Amino acid sequence: MYTKQFLQASLLASVASALVSKDGVTGKLPALGWNSWNAFRCDINEEKFLTAGQKLIDLGLAKAGYNYVNIDDCWSIKSGRDNTTQRILPDLTKFPDGIDGTAKKIHDMGLKIGIYSDAGKTTCAGYPGSLYYEDIDAATWAEWGIDYLKYDNCDVPSEYWTGDEYHACHPDYNHPTGPNATCVNDPGLAPAGYDWSKSRTAERYTRMTTALLKQDRNILYSICNWGQAAIETYGANIGHSWRMTDDIFPVWSEVIHIINYNSFKLNYVDFWAHNDADMLEVGNGDLTPEETRSHFALWAAMKSPLLIGTSLDSISSDNLAILKNKYLLAFNQDDVNGAPAMPYKWGINPDWTYNDTHPAEFYSGASKAGTLVLMLNTLETEAEKAAVWSEIPQLSNGKCFQVTNVWTGEDLGCVSESYKAKVARHDTAVLLVSKSSSCDCK
Ligand SMILES: *[C@@H]1O[C@H](CO)[C@@H](O)[C@H](O)[C@H]1NC(C)=O
Ligand SMILES: *[C@@H]1O[C@H](CO)[C@@H](O)[C@H](O)[C@H]1NC(C)=O
Ligand SMILES: *[C@@H]1O[C@H](CO)[C@@H](O)[C@H](O)[C@H]1NC(C)=O
């Protein structure tokens, strides 16, 4: 269990200064878009990206803000770089016109394009990585018209482990049942006050920051080091978003684990600084409709990047409606309030309990439209949950508020003191709570 003292100490440890893009826009808000990995793994080609782009437009997702079409692993020639130019070579059987050709077609649709590489010798699927080739690769991507880089963490050479001995305590080993259960209560095993921005991991990722900044192009830098080396404490200095955990899988145990882990790290999130809870599994795997809603609602409320990870050819209308929820997207993309929704009460367990099946259930956050309130039901049965205004930081000095059901858009009227909802197993009730002159009972 994390203690409150630990949490507060870690919040004081480092106040990052943001990596502001030259255009003043790229990376300020969480990225919205589509990525190939969760749907297709290595089975990719240009056609799939053009289809995804066209579907983003046809399904109204682009209009809702989803504007990145991101290529994940497996786009290049596996055997190695060009021996003369040292460039990574696109696989022309998958991308006949090169990545620059695909980029042009995606740009012509009015969308942006992302690429993938790795801060190691090879990518996770064994394709050339970018460590030691940062300047060449950043320049190549800029020339191709790339707008976004996801930068993974596989195949790190041994020289980069030296001096980074604290790296071994990986956040996912905080799974109480996981292989490194001893890391529970011991976030990192580093000495108290260790400055992770001086770690070898930080150095590997900063090499690419430097290379990207040399380019005359705004490229969103999405760090993907799986939450290692306390990336959230200095990520904003060197990138725009950073993955918090290992890869997501479309099962509830993974979704709820990520919610639990991230719920302790939300103070690091603001404009230009986003904890990446990983790409969406809406439409994939074994998630029930209720679990899918909770997944999307918490990701949006925690201000994670929202990258659709399903094949858009076959998406159901229910899942499409979840992805297009205008209240959650407006909260995620609020240009006045950078902070995410945060837990104000745990519910099942005492406050500040680290628990992968029953994490914090009650969250709230400020937005232009009002206060977003989320009530997650982590139980295996339906439960009644109450949003009590006096318990919610943004609402505690009011008595009556106008309430909207975020899932249906239904106006629930002027509600005094608290709003009770029956919440199905693993579902989340989401409310937009606002002041209104016609709803005033002081
Ligand atoms: C580069 O040279 C090596 C060694 O001669 C060769 O095996 C490899 O195929 C070459 N790579 C490319 C992309 O031509
Ligand atoms: C933790 O996991 C890592 C990676 O699997 C392993 O190398 C290490 O020995 C483990 N530590 C403990 C204490 O089990
Ligand atoms: C998580 O919380 C539940 C509910 O309080 C409890 O039954 C369970 O034992 C906890 N899990 C762990 C690993 O502590």
Side-chain angles (χ1 to χ4, degrees):
M1 190 174 91
Y2 284 67
T3 63
K4 193 167 183 171
Q5 286 86 337
F6 160 67
L7 191 84
Q8 288 171 339
S10 74
L11 296 180
L12 290 173
S14 171
V15 178
S17 66
L19 182 70
V20 176
S21 302
K22 287 174 210 154
D23 64 1
V25 178
T26 303
K28 181 176 182 180
L29 299 173
L32 302 183
W34 183 89
N35 172 293
S36 50
W37 185 255
N38 287 349
F40 298 119
R41 295 293 195 265
C42 281
D43 182 19
I44 55 168
N45 55 43
E46 183 188 65
E47 196 56 39
K48 286 185 168 148
F49 295 94
L50 299 183
T51 301
Q54 195 57 49
K55 285 284 173 187
L56 287 178
I57 293 165
D58 295 347
L59 296 171
L61 288 161
K63 205 170 174 194
Y66 294 92
N67 61 347
Y68 284 99
V69 177
N70 291 351
I71 302 170
D72 207 281
D73 207 346
C74 312
W75 56 268
S76 67
I77 297 286
K78 204 168 188 174
S79 57
R81 293 169 175 269
D82 183 289
N83 284 325
T84 310
T85 64
Q86 299 296 319
R87 285 187 170 199
I88 303 181
L89 299 163
D91 183 338
L92 297 179
T93 63
K94 295 174 181 168
F95 297 90
D97 296 331
I99 300 296
D100 55 342
T102 306
K104 177 160 191 333
K105 293 170 201 172
I106 295 290
H107 287 152
D108 286 348
M109 294 177 175
L111 301 170
K112 295 172 186 291
I113 189 161
I115 200 84
Y116 164 99
S117 192
D118 187 284
K121 287 191 290 188
T122 62
T123 69
C124 297
Y127 293 76
S130 294
L131 186 66
Y132 302 132
Y133 294 93
E134 293 86 356
D135 282 340
I136 291 171
D137 290 352
T140 304
W141 297 324
E143 185 189 303
W144 288 349
I146 293 296
D147 304 300
Y148 182 114
L149 170 65
K150 172 181 172 181
Y151 205 43
D152 218 337
N153 195 33
C154 283
D155 199 12
V156 178
S158 56
E159 67 267 22
Y160 263 95
W161 293 91
T162 320
D164 197 6
E165 63 273 28
Y166 314 122
H167 196 133
C169 190
H170 187 287
D172 279 9
Y173 302 156
N174 281 324
H175 267 302
T177 54
N180 266 331
T182 49
C183 290
V184 174
N185 299 331
D186 195 352
L189 301 175
Y194 177 68
D195 180 358
W196 288 97
S197 73
K198 304 284 195 293
S199 68
R200 298 286 278 160
T201 297
E203 192 184 320
R204 266 188 306 122
Y205 279 86
T206 305
R207 291 173 64 95
M208 184 55 82
T209 312
T210 307
L212 291 171
L213 288 175
K214 287 178 193 164
Q215 310 310 317
D216 185 22
R217 189 167 181 88
N218 293 288
I219 300 179
L220 192 152
Y221 186 22
S222 162
I223 292 170
C224 181
N225 78 327
W226 318 323
Q228 293 181 358
I231 182 67
E232 69 279 0
T233 61
Y234 56 90
N237 295 328
I238 63 170
H240 300 117
S241 65
W242 41 86
R243 271 275 296 284
M244 296 301 287
T245 49
D246 265 346
D247 284 8
I248 190 172
F249 287 93
V251 293
W252 182 242
S253 58
E254 282 296 316
V255 169
I256 195 87
H257 158 61
I258 292 171
I259 292 170
N260 180 40
Y261 188 80
N262 210 14
S263 74
F264 287 85
K265 310 281 187 177
L266 292 168
N267 272 59
Y268 294 102
V269 178
D270 207 333
F271 294 128
W272 306 105
H274 297 105
N275 293 351
D276 181 351
D278 204 356
M279 300 172 297
L280 295 170
E281 295 283 18
V282 172
N284 298 341
D286 294 333
L287 298 174
T288 66
E290 295 77 18
E291 291 167 349
T292 304
R293 299 203 313 176
S294 293
H295 168 35
F296 185 76
L298 268 297
W299 262 235
M302 296 187 304
K303 302 216 173 177
S304 173
L306 300 174
L307 295 170
I308 299 167
T310 199
S311 170
L312 291 174
D313 294 69
S314 50
I315 191 164
S316 72
S317 55
D318 285 354
N319 286 333
L320 186 60
I322 290 172
L323 292 172
K324 286 168 74 173
N325 185 284
K326 65 177 181 185
Y327 302 99
L328 287 167
L329 287 175
F331 185 85
N332 182 266
Q333 297 291 301
D334 194 310
D335 60 2
V336 171
N337 302 272
M342 301 206 197
Y344 64 87
K345 188 169 80 169
W346 259 243
I348 303 301
N349 282 309
D351 288 356
W352 307 107
T353 302
Y354 185 92
N355 182 296
D356 262 339
T357 49
H358 301 282
E361 291 188 323
F362 295 86
Y363 299 75
S364 68
S367 78
K368 284 194 286 191
T371 300
L372 193 74
V373 177
L374 300 93
M375 299 188 284
L376 163 68
N377 178 11
T378 64
L379 298 171
E380 295 306 309
T381 51
E382 183 184 87
E384 188 176 84
K385 305 281 174 190
V388 180
W389 307 152
S390 64
E391 293 177 351
I392 298 173
Q394 295 84 356
L395 305 174
S396 59
N397 51 20
K399 194 152 185 284
C400 289
F401 293 97
Q402 199 71 30
V403 180
T404 303
N405 179 338
V406 160
W407 293 121
T408 62
E410 187 191 352
D411 180 356
L412 300 171
C414 177
V415 179
S416 169
E417 294 187 15
S418 74
Y419 181 81
K420 292 191 181 68
K422 285 197 162 58
V423 188
R425 167 188 182 270
H426 300 177
D427 203 355
T428 299
V430 189
L431 309 172
L432 185 62
V433 184
S434 58
K435 287 211 168 76
S436 152
S437 52
S438 59
C439 170
D440 185 1
C441 55
K442 64 176 182 289

